[in-house]
Amino acid sequence: MCGIVGYIGPQNATPIIMNGLKKLEYRGYDSAGIAVLENGGIEVRRDAGKLERLSQLVHESPLKGNVGIGHTRWATHGVPNTRNAHPHLGMTGDVVLVHNGIVENFSALREELESEGVVFQSETDSEVIVHLIERYLSGGTNLTDAVHQTLLLLKGAHGIVVLSKNDPDKIIAARVGNAGGVVIGYGKDEMYIASDLPAILEYTREMVFLESRQMAVVSREGAVVMSLDEGEIQPEVHTIPWDPVSAEKGEYRHFMHKEIHEQVRSLTDTIAGRVDFELGSIQLPSLNLSPEKVKDIKKIFIIACGTASYAGMVGKVLIEKIARIPVEVEIGSEFRYQDPIVDENTVVLAISQSGETADTLAAMEEGHQKGATLWSIVNAIGSQAMRIADGFISMQVGPEIGVASTKAYTAPLVDLYMLAILLGELRGTIDENQRRQLVADLRLVPDLAGRCLDREGEVKKVAESLLEAQSALYLGRGVNMPTAYEGALKLKEISYIHAEGYPAGEMKHGPIALIDADLPVVVIAPRDPWYDKMFSQIEQVKARGGRVIAVATEGDEQIQQQADHVLSVPETPWMLSPVTTVIPLQLLAYHIAAQRGLDVDQPRNLAKSVTVE
Ligand code: AGP
């Protein structure tokens, strides 16, 4: 979750940039840096560590320039150290850049540049960008076109900001995909740039939010915004309400809504630095896996609570399918009292957004006492569940403020998928081709999530028809059975409508007695191995006068015929389908609660982290 701040105007840029980076600290980072144009050159200060370290560098060697850019980096490629910290200079020292995102084709680009004599200073993917810009400049292209041409070569999602000492009266900013926002703030004879508006809200409330495949040439007088594909455009200038808390929500009314929409970026971020798409391999170094130890694993207990436990249920299907290791999913509050059968060949894998859930921590302790290896998948950096584990996977999705978990549900689904692939490779249960295919499927995920979000309008319409519902039933099967539990939990915890997730196959053993026209039944029926059974489930509910809201794959005509409402999701590889099928259910719960005028971010009786037993 990198942070970016830029400034051009009459003031000293450094204090403005440093203050802005501080406002973005909540997003998590491991190094920071700043570059300013000064005395005809570029001055850079950067290092691993927090902003205090950067402030110390700036104090020791002050900066005076009034055009500058700053960056807080979340390491994806290359460990946190000085060389890998942004901003990055090119070979000539004329151009400097900060970047948010992943250059998916950076290996090939780096090889190409090195073959042309470029000497890289870092292990980052970002550095290729500044060298490509310089290559265009050396061919006589102007700065704007050099950045434009470079962006067309990059694969992945990016937010970039560029300075050149030979163009001291402009800053170039651009956004491709959803790796992070680029906000342009309008001042009087001064302009601001940021990856998120809290960084610059105290200076201006007039903002332009760059959309994907847009770039801006920013001068003291204003900004010229253009599409990478269709030339200059007139962007909408938003006036942001003066409320720092609401500012952190950007253009959203609730954090939960913002976080649902952040899932393209958060899914990109949770994959970042862990996948080599060229080699088709997964690296999870923070798990501290030893191949020998992995071969000796006889069982994995996945321990979690609430939403996290439903992610664990998906993880069970994936790990058993790919790595053929027996997995049991237990909620924290039960595991700790079960006198569980655990030994040195057992792994206890905790999943926790906060990393401080008392029941989950107690269960980890129980496992540790019995000799298990402790792993955790955690979002909050430095939390207990991260610290006490023998190895961990950071969700790396930035702070989740809304009590109802959304991006911290879809991220662990992907983390568990990556873990299953790595375990399968180490245990030899998948061959190279299978591994490459599984990794290739992963690449689709952020875009598939974006396509689900694009359909928010159809979800909102269905939500309007459910505002008066007294109860709801969610049915799923196989890898999407946990999706039914999670969809039901989202609805009940923010809209206070009773909802129950149920294994679809169990309906005939009792719950089908509940079916009538007043009970909305959400049926999760994407094109997965359980599709046929789920389609007949829809028919059974309809035959009893029930009302069906189906989550179905785009273009599924027979479900369109049968169901009362359809929430479409894009065709998704079945093991990753819980990532896409849950998004319309998140949006459904959100819009019902929001339209009922409830406190979506702070639902009654609930806490974001349940640190009591
Ligand atoms: C989910 O929307 C709820 N906020 C709740 O179920 C939550 O997932 C659970 O309390 C576990 O929290 P954790 O992930 O921080 O451990």
Side-chain angles (χ1 to χ4, degrees):
M1 305 295 286
C2 304
I4 290 177
V5 180
Y7 173 78
I8 183 167
Q11 303 182 64
N12 182 331
T14 297
I16 293 170
I17 291 169
M18 294 298 286
N19 182 44
L21 292 177
K22 193 112 189 79
K23 296 282 194 317
L24 298 179
E25 274 198 305
Y26 69 87
R27 294 159 54 132
Y29 67 103
D30 44 48
S31 53
I34 184 170
V36 299
L37 298 183
E38 198 167 289
N39 306 327
I42 298 176
E43 287 293 325
V44 178
R45 308 284 185 275
R46 62 183 186 166
D47 202 354
K50 298 301 184 187
L51 285 173
E52 291 71 32
R53 172 64 184 138
L54 182 58
S55 300
Q56 185 189 1
L57 291 175
V58 169
H59 177 70
E60 288 161 3
S61 175
L63 297 169
K64 297 188 292 296
N66 53 29
V67 184
I69 52 179
H71 187 268
T72 48
R73 174 179 181 247
W74 178 292
T76 55
H77 294 70
V79 297
N81 61 22
T82 308
R83 287 183 306 111
N84 289 334
H86 299 215
H88 286 290
L89 280 163
M91 294 252 305
T92 64
D94 296 351
V95 181
V96 70
L97 157 133
V98 293
H99 171 235
N100 191 0
I102 310 169
V103 182
E104 288 175 6
N105 56 335
F106 96 96
S107 305
L109 291 170
R110 179 164 176 146
E111 266 174 52
E112 181 188 321
L113 288 161
E114 285 176 330
S115 71
E116 295 165 3
V118 172
V119 176
F120 277 75
Q121 304 301 317
S122 76
E123 293 89 55
T124 66
D125 57 332
S126 308
E127 191 185 344
V128 298
I129 304 173
V130 71
H131 293 309
L132 289 170
I133 293 170
E134 282 199 338
R135 184 169 72 178
Y136 281 111
L137 288 172
S138 65
T141 309
N142 65 44
L143 182 62
T144 304
D145 292 343
V147 173
H148 187 169
Q149 294 306 313
T150 296
L151 289 167
L152 301 179
L153 295 177
L154 306 181
K155 287 194 185 130
H158 312 284
I160 70 167
V161 184
V162 181
L163 290 184
S164 165
K165 72 178 188 182
N166 302 323
D167 275 283
D169 296 320
K170 65 177 71 158
I171 305 180
I172 312 269
R175 175 181 180 178
V176 175
N178 287 294
V182 177
V183 184
I184 313 289
Y186 287 71
K188 189 170 174 355
D189 301 327
E190 57 191 354
M191 295 287 284
Y192 307 84
I193 296 166
S195 49
D196 222 337
L197 58 76
I200 54 176
L201 189 71
E202 71 184 81
Y203 305 112
T204 175
R205 293 189 291 150
E206 306 303 313
M207 312 269 186
V208 160
F209 296 90
L210 288 194
E211 292 175 19
S212 176
R213 301 190 67 74
Q214 289 185 352
M215 65 188 280
V217 181
V218 182
S219 64
R220 286 171 180 75
E221 297 72 37
V224 174
V225 180
M226 60 198 78
S227 150
L228 296 187
D229 314 305
E230 292 129 29
E232 192 173 334
I233 54 174
Q234 291 309 320
E236 184 185 351
V237 180
H238 297 265
T239 301
I240 306 298
W242 179 265
D243 164 6
V245 174
S246 73
E248 287 177 19
K249 287 183 270 200
E251 64 258 52
Y252 295 98
R253 196 174 136 212
H254 298 106
F255 278 107
M256 181 185 179
H257 198 203
K258 178 181 179 193
E259 287 150 9
I260 289 172
H261 278 271
E262 276 181 353
Q263 289 180 110
V264 177
R265 180 170 72 190
S266 56
L267 287 163
T268 301
D269 287 345
T270 206
I271 292 168
R274 293 159 168 172
V275 184
D276 184 322
F277 287 107
E278 314 280 334
L279 298 178
S281 64
I282 301 287
Q283 302 95 23
L284 295 169
S286 55
L287 261 183
N288 303 319
L289 291 187
S290 82
E292 302 64 46
K293 183 91 186 146
V294 165
K295 286 192 174 64
D296 292 340
I297 297 172
K298 295 286 181 295
K299 173 183 276 192
I300 297 176
F301 278 106
I302 295 181
I303 307 295
C305 301
T307 284
S309 72
Y310 305 143
M313 293 166 79
V314 174
K316 168 185 169 69
V317 176
L318 303 181
I319 294 171
E320 290 188 342
K321 179 71 184 172
I322 297 172
R324 309 305 294 160
I325 301 172
V327 177
E328 275 187 50
V329 180
E330 294 288 351
I331 51 177
S333 53
E334 289 298 319
F335 180 78
R336 53 190 300 207
Y337 300 116
Q338 282 174 353
D339 188 15
I341 299 164
V342 171
D343 63 22
E344 69 281 1
N345 295 322
T346 307
V347 167
V348 168
L349 166 59
I351 303 173
S352 177
Q353 190 287 129
S354 64
E356 300 296 348
T357 298
D359 288 328
T360 303
L361 294 174
M364 292 178 78
E365 185 51 35
E366 175 76 8
H368 176 69
Q369 295 294 336
K370 289 176 173 278
T373 298
L374 294 188
W375 294 343
S376 62
I377 300 178
V378 184
N379 192 37
I381 306 286
S383 59
Q384 188 83 335
M386 188 174 273
R387 281 201 310 273
I388 66 175
D390 299 305
F392 67 87
I393 301 173
S394 166
M395 294 181 196
Q396 52 192 39
V397 296
E400 186 176 67
I401 313 294
V403 165
S405 201
T406 50
K407 63 180 182 174
Y409 173 71
T410 49
L413 297 181
V414 166
D415 298 334
L416 288 158
Y417 180 82
M418 293 190 287
L419 173 62
I421 295 170
L422 185 55
L423 293 174
E425 181 186 9
L426 293 173
R427 290 169 67 97
T429 52
I430 52 175
D431 63 28
E432 181 179 351
N433 287 336
Q434 288 167 316
R435 193 194 73 231
R436 281 182 174 279
Q437 183 55 58
L438 290 167
V439 170
D441 288 348
L442 195 52
R443 188 182 218 140
L444 309 170
V445 168
D447 180 58
L448 293 173
R451 286 167 54 189
C452 294
L453 294 168
D454 291 345
R455 289 180 170 273
E456 179 168 20
E458 70 187 36
V459 181
K460 201 169 173 186
K461 281 203 190 71
V462 176
E464 284 155 11
S465 72
L466 294 175
L467 295 181
E468 305 311 319
Q470 299 300 308
S471 186
L473 198 53
Y474 288 67
L475 303 179
R477 202 187 281 256
V479 79
N480 277 297
M481 186 188 70
T483 310
Y485 292 153
E486 172 57 10
L489 176 61
K490 286 283 111 23
L491 183 66
K492 56 189 156 191
E493 71 175 322
I494 64 172
S495 73
Y496 313 147
I497 295 172
H498 174 259
E500 194 172 4
Y502 225 86
E506 277 293 287
M507 280 297 286
K508 52 191 177 295
H509 301 289
I512 204 158
L514 290 171
I515 301 301
D516 63 22
D518 300 326
L519 177 72
V521 181
V522 177
V523 182
I524 299 131
R527 291 256 183 232
D528 65 13
W530 298 273
Y531 174 80
D532 292 341
K533 286 282 191 308
M534 290 310 289
F535 182 70
S536 68
Q537 190 71 62
I538 292 172
E539 291 175 317
Q540 286 171 41
V541 172
K542 290 301 295 173
R544 289 161 179 81
R547 190 167 144 215
V548 171
I549 296 138
V551 177
T553 302
E554 288 165 349
D556 187 326
E557 292 300 329
Q558 65 173 0
I559 286 189
Q560 296 279 356
Q561 301 298 323
Q562 195 61 271
D564 298 277
H565 304 285
V566 177
L567 302 177
S568 297
V569 293
E571 183 93 35
T572 306
W574 73 265
M575 283 190 253
L576 291 162
S577 62
V579 176
T580 46
T581 54
V582 78
I583 291 175
L585 303 184
Q586 295 170 340
L587 289 168
L588 184 67
Y590 170 75
H591 283 294
I592 291 172
Q595 291 180 45
R596 284 166 66 111
L598 299 170
D599 185 349
V600 172
D601 286 332
Q602 299 287 344
R604 67 188 181 199
N605 314 331
L606 289 178
K608 181 60 184 169
S609 172
V610 183
T611 55
V612 294
E613 294 169 13

